[in-house]
């Protein structure tokens, strides 16, 4: 069992209510691409694809030579597959959870005690950070005062008596509705009406006046530090985060909300929308690889774009285990650590142990697009 160090995975799907339904969902498209026998239900939401060894949704190893084994069990038996630095730094655990998200209606206003990075496939919209802090800074002066002022404002709003904020929200919605056909961008009118239609009477609708509205285009990403407030609105994206599922919510959700904890834990750092964008760096050793390397040790994401003119390509070895997702294209993969050829197609998820190379014979006429999550210490 130990000698097979590169193998495909069957990954868990999360059917959260906010996800896109059926084959409108990028998650569902990837699932059926990777497994043509998979059954996709038209009216069922396919919100997230979890690729990793998280105990709530541990990926299954899809290799007949390896019995019914999960990735987490495999790593526990053979922690050396992580790479020596990763194994020692993260106590023998895969330190990241790799995801695909397909968002149809807004997720809750939330924060995590860890870090995450999101990149769109193809476009993604979100609320993130603290836009209002910039305006408060003009009157509050020093940064510390600005943060305190923003925290007081946001906390007061989130703790407002329900009748008061519902009345005010309805008045604002009425005003924006009456101005149909006019430019309401100054008060984020279109976004307000969208969120109110999804979550009528929800205090979270007012969050758009505190957070930045960010639209990510292909190739762009955003990095969210620990306790950074955010709410994903619509679209499909790749996400990588430190391996945790701890989420504190407060608005735009029917789930349990913990307003006081969220308001206490958030960062209130003034920042414009442009500061939330996280651009990749070209890999100096591979012209087809763009590296998203955030300022945290837990994870790095690489975008691999192999052009149509290239038919032989090697996924380079790293001193870290990695998870490779094929988003576009077809290839036959060979590796000394796989023992047999592996067919790669849209939706294939591959686990690559540390220090192992994977050679691709590209068959797609339009090239290949892949994302690789790893840990570069």
């Amino acid at each position: 069992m130990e000698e097979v160090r590169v193998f495909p995975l069957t990954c868990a799907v999360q059917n959260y209510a906010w996800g896109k339904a059926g084959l409108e969902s990028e998650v569902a498209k990837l699932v059926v691409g990777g497994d043509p026998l998979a059954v996709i239900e038209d009216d069922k939401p396919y919100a997230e694809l979890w690729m990793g060894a998280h105990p709530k949704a541990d990926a299954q190893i899809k290799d007949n030579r390896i019995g019914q084994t999960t990735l987490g069990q495999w790593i526990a038996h053979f922690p050396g597959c992580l790479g020596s630095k990763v194994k020692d730094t993260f106590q023998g655990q895969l330190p990241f959870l790799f995801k695909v998200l397909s968002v149809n209606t807004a997720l809750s206003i939330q924060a995590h005690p860890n870090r995450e990075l999101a990149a769109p496939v193809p476009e993604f919209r979100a609320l993130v950070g603290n836009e209002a802090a910039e305006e408060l800074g003009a009157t509050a002066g020093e940064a510390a005062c600005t943060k305190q002022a923003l925290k007081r404002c946001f906390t007061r709003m989130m703790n407002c008596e329900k009748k008061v904020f519902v009345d005010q929200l309805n008045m604002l919605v009425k005003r924006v509705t009456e101005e149909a056909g006019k430019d309401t961008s100054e008060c984020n009118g279109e976004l307000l009406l969208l969120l109110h239609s999804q979550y009528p009477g929800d205090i979270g609708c007012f969050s758009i006046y505190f957070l930045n509205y960010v639209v990510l285009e292909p190739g762009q990403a955003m990095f969210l530090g620990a306790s950074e407030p955010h709410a994903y609105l619509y679209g499909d994206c790749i996400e990588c985060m430190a391996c945790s599922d701890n989420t504190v919510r407060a608005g735009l959700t029917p789930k349990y909300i913990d307003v006081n904890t969220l308001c206490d834990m958030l960062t209130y750092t003034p920042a414009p929308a442009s500061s939330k964008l996280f651009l990749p760096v070209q890999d100096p050793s591979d012209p087809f690889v763009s590296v998203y390397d955030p300022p945290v040790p837990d994870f790095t994401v690489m975008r691999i774009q192999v052009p149509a003119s290239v038919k032989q390509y090697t996924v380079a070895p790293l001193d870290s285990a990695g998870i490779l997702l094929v988003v576009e294209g077809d290839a036959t993969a060979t590796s000394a650590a796989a023992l047999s050829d592996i067919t790669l197609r849209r939706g294939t998820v591959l686990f690559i142990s540390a220090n192992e190379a994977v050679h691709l014979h590209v068959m797609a006429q339009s090239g290949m697009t892949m994302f690789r999550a790893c840990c570069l210490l």
Side-chain angles (χ1 to χ4, degrees):
M1 186 164 75
E2 183 177 11
E3 55 191 358
V4 184
R5 291 167 53 84
V6 174
F7 42 76
L9 299 172
T10 298
C11 299
V13 172
Q14 305 291 358
N15 304 106
Y16 303 134
W18 49 258
K20 292 183 181 180
L23 288 174
E24 291 295 313
S25 166
E26 181 71 13
V27 168
K29 291 174 185 175
L30 290 170
V31 167
V32 80
D35 180 6
L37 297 179
V39 176
I40 302 298
E41 300 176 36
D42 290 343
D43 57 351
K44 189 174 184 177
Y46 294 82
E48 295 188 356
L49 181 68
W50 286 26
M51 300 169 284
H54 194 287
K56 286 188 177 180
D58 199 354
Q60 289 283 336
I61 296 177
K62 191 164 70 172
D63 190 311
N64 292 333
R65 295 160 301 178
I66 303 172
Q68 291 292 314
T69 306
T70 68
L71 180 59
Q73 291 168 338
W74 172 272
I75 292 172
H77 278 102
F78 309 111
C81 71
L82 296 172
S84 56
K85 290 182 181 178
V86 176
K87 176 174 70 73
D88 293 343
T89 302
F90 295 100
Q91 294 78 50
Q93 304 290 318
L94 188 70
F96 58 82
L97 178 60
F98 202 23
K99 295 183 181 181
V100 179
L101 275 65
S102 289
V103 181
N104 188 48
T105 58
L107 279 70
S108 57
I109 304 166
Q110 59 186 254
H112 306 286
N114 49 21
R115 289 80 60 185
E116 59 191 277
L117 179 118
V121 186
E123 182 187 85
F124 196 67
R125 303 176 187 182
L127 294 169
V128 61
N130 292 296
E131 177 190 44
E134 281 199 291
E135 297 182 17
L136 281 171
T139 56
E142 297 179 1
C145 294
T146 303
K147 292 175 72 169
Q148 285 302 314
L150 181 59
K151 182 175 182 178
R152 284 197 299 270
C153 289
F154 187 75
T155 303
R156 285 287 296 274
M157 181 195 77
M158 295 303 293
N159 284 285
C160 183
E161 183 183 338
K162 184 165 185 176
K163 184 181 184 309
V164 174
F165 78 70
V166 169
D167 287 347
Q168 293 299 316
L169 179 58
N170 288 338
M171 287 170 58
L172 180 58
V173 168
K174 182 173 182 289
R175 192 183 86 196
V176 171
T177 303
E178 289 172 347
E179 293 179 358
K182 299 179 183 178
D183 182 10
T184 59
S185 58
E186 218 173 85
C187 64
N188 285 331
E190 187 177 333
L191 181 56
L192 175 72
L193 296 182
L194 173 66
L195 293 180
H196 188 258
S197 70
Q198 295 176 358
Y199 300 97
D202 193 298
I203 186 64
C205 293
F206 282 121
S207 68
I208 62 176
Y209 302 113
F210 285 83
L211 305 178
N212 292 292
Y213 178 50
V214 177
V215 178
L216 294 179
E217 301 293 344
Q220 294 180 323
M222 61 181 177
F223 172 68
L224 305 177
S227 301
E228 182 102 31
H230 61 281
Y232 293 159
L233 301 176
Y234 183 82
D236 304 290
C237 79
I238 300 291
E239 182 184 69
C240 196
M241 61 190 299
C243 198
S244 168
D245 192 33
N246 296 327
T247 302
V248 181
R249 302 176 178 88
L252 301 181
T253 179
K255 295 183 179 180
Y256 170 74
I257 62 175
D258 190 342
V259 172
N260 292 332
T261 299
L262 185 82
C263 291
D264 284 343
M265 72 181 282
L266 293 183
T267 59
Y268 293 93
T269 304
S274 59
S275 72
K276 301 304 172 185
L277 297 181
F278 189 79
L279 299 177
V281 175
Q282 188 70 50
D283 186 332
S285 62
D286 189 332
F288 307 139
V289 175
S290 300
V291 181
Y292 300 87
D293 191 16
V296 295
D298 311 72
F299 57 84
T300 295
V301 174
M302 299 177 177
R303 187 178 79 245
I304 306 172
Q305 292 182 296
V306 183
S309 59
V310 175
K311 297 305 179 185
Q312 304 294 329
Y313 177 77
T314 298
V315 180
L318 299 171
D319 188 24
S320 163
I323 292 178
L324 182 76
L325 168 67
V326 180
V327 173
E328 183 181 0
D330 303 272
T332 299
T334 60
S335 172
L339 300 186
S340 65
D341 293 355
I342 300 172
T343 299
L344 301 187
R345 60 171 72 93
R346 173 169 159 79
T348 298
V349 182
L350 202 64
F351 179 81
I352 305 174
S353 294
N355 304 306
E356 299 295 346
V358 178
H359 307 286
L360 306 185
H361 173 62
V362 179
M363 295 176 287
Q365 297 302 310
S366 57
M368 294 192 74
T369 300
M370 299 169 283
F371 285 89
R372 183 183 191 180
C374 55
C375 179
L376 300 181
L377 295 175

